[in-house]
Amino acid sequence: MTQDFRSICAVEGVTAGGMKEGKFGLALIQASGTGAAVFTKNKVRAPVVNLMAERTKRGKLAGVIVNSGCANAYTGKQGFSDAEKMAAIGAEVLGISELECGVASTGVIGRYLDLDLIRRQAGQVAGQLAHSPEAETAAAKAIMTTDTKEKHAIVRREGFTVAGICKGSGMIAPNMGTMLSFVYTDAEIPAKQLQDALKSAVKRSLNRVVVDGDESTNDSLFCTATGEAGHVPATEFSRALETVCISLAKQIAADGEGATKMLEVKVFGCKRERDAEKIAKTVITSPLVKSAVYGEDPNWGRVVCAAGYSGVEFTVEELSLSIGEGESETQLVKNGVIVADLVRAKAAMAGDHVVFTLMLESGNKQATAWGCDLTEKYVEINGKYTT
């Protein structure tokens, strides 16, 4: 009988588990193989990030231990020592080397880890590790903070699988990936190839999500290739990995703190991909655009305005803009001329997914970014986050 896997436990060689006690959760995932990782570029990054940025250079992972509720960020020498101790706890309960145990933390900045709690939870979770849908769900729930739902992704290709879980809802404007993400594949991939593929996938997915414009201190993405499925074509693997990362990115955008709508911005016709990305992320970050989306106000001028201050050179008179997709797509501007039907435009903003498409005439490169609307609930969540 085939089990109904949603993510990581669909990959052969992966076992997982997790638990949550109030705000404090802990997850364990065990899988041995080639490892790669990407991390936040924030100058004030958590000690655990500094520790793992060094250890993952070895290109080998055998498991990860993850806690939620305390970021262990801006905690100095004690924070670094605590991160090492957490790695030791994970290694002990999983029966692996400390150097091959990934560690990640998420939660409140400026507070020290409760290592006694982590040790107790780790021991309990280790006894529940399993290769099952229930196990991957438990791990995904354990790492959540302000998330309202688990985030799973899976891509099955002929001969191999790529799957992942992540958490992320607020403090999302990553300069690498998302808050925390754990991706697994049964493909056999050399360390350098895996690292290169991961960087490329993140660039076009998790690095294009903006919820609120704040880059986390703890962003970490670990990827492990168990090799159970043997060698696979590099191009096919890279595409599958990117697809998984895009799925996780879109789930983060849809679950932004207080969000009622996911916002998607597509930009076409740029000289360089990074130019299209810059415009898309600038629009997605704009509080005015996000507020208009929340109110279903077809104030499309805010989109044009944001594109204009993105820093990308383009001919204003050649810009075209539309809202919606498929039959609901409505042209707002065509080659610099206003053609907006505001009644149709407002109708295209109904529902939980709003799409803007910008077309420039500078080249043939494109990019898409994802975000969400800005609501009163976002202020409420973050005004009371530590209390």
Side-chain angles (χ1 to χ4, degrees), residues 277-295:
E277 177 182 346
K278 193 171 184 179
I279 292 173
K281 288 180 72 173
T282 300
V283 174
I284 220 91
T285 304
S286 166
L288 290 177
V289 172
K290 292 160 73 69
S291 298
V293 170
Y294 171 51

Side-chain angles (χ1 to χ4, degrees), residues 203-205 207-211 263-268 270 272-286 289-290 302-303 306-312 314 356-358 360 365-372:
K203 178 180 182 295
R204 292 176 172 167
S205 58
N207 203 31
R208 293 181 181 173
V209 181
V210 178
V211 168
L263 175 59
E264 185 169 358
V265 177
K266 301 178 180 181
V267 179
F268 296 88
C270 287
R272 297 169 296 188
E273 184 177 343
R274 67 173 178 267
D275 290 341
E277 177 182 346
K278 193 171 184 179
I279 292 173
K281 288 180 72 173
T282 300
V283 174
I284 220 91
T285 304
S286 166
V289 172
K290 292 160 73 69
R302 293 176 174 179
V303 176
Y309 66 68
S310 66
V312 176
F314 63 89
F356 284 107
T357 301
L358 277 157
L360 308 178
K365 300 301 182 182
Q366 65 187 64
T368 301
W370 302 272
C372 60

Side-chain angles (χ1 to χ4, degrees), residues 1-17 29 129-140 150-156 161-165 184 186:
M1 182 175 177
T2 303
Q3 292 182 294
D4 189 20
F5 290 112
R6 299 168 63 193
S7 60
I8 58 177
C9 283
V11 176
E12 288 301 318
V14 177
T15 57
I29 309 171
L129 289 181
H131 181 75
S132 68
E134 294 75 18
E136 65 190 11
T137 295
E150 309 147 39
K151 298 170 179 67
H152 300 262
I154 183 170
V155 170
R156 298 180 187 271
T161 299
V162 182
I165 61 172
Y184 292 85
D186 51 8

Side-chain angles (χ1 to χ4, degrees), residues 51-109:
L51 175 68
M52 295 316 302
E54 188 61 35
R55 287 188 176 180
T56 52
K57 289 179 182 178
R58 302 175 70 251
K60 180 75 174 176
L61 285 169
V64 295
I65 179 171
V66 193
N67 78 287
S68 61
C70 176
N72 185 24
Y74 205 72
T75 46
K77 292 181 179 179
Q78 179 179 328
F80 192 86
S81 175
D82 286 348
E84 290 180 311
K85 291 174 182 176
M86 185 171 162
I89 292 171
E92 181 180 356
V93 298
L94 293 174
I96 62 176
S97 164
E98 289 182 36
L99 297 178
E100 296 178 4
C101 184
V103 184
S105 299
T106 183
V108 180
I109 296 169

Side-chain angles (χ1 to χ4, degrees), residues 146 148 169-170 256-259 375-387:
T146 57
T148 66
S169 185
E257 289 177 341
T375 73
E376 301 94 336
K377 187 68 176 178
Y378 176 86
V379 177
E380 180 183 338
I381 290 170
N382 286 284
K384 303 173 182 178
Y385 185 70
T386 63
T387 55

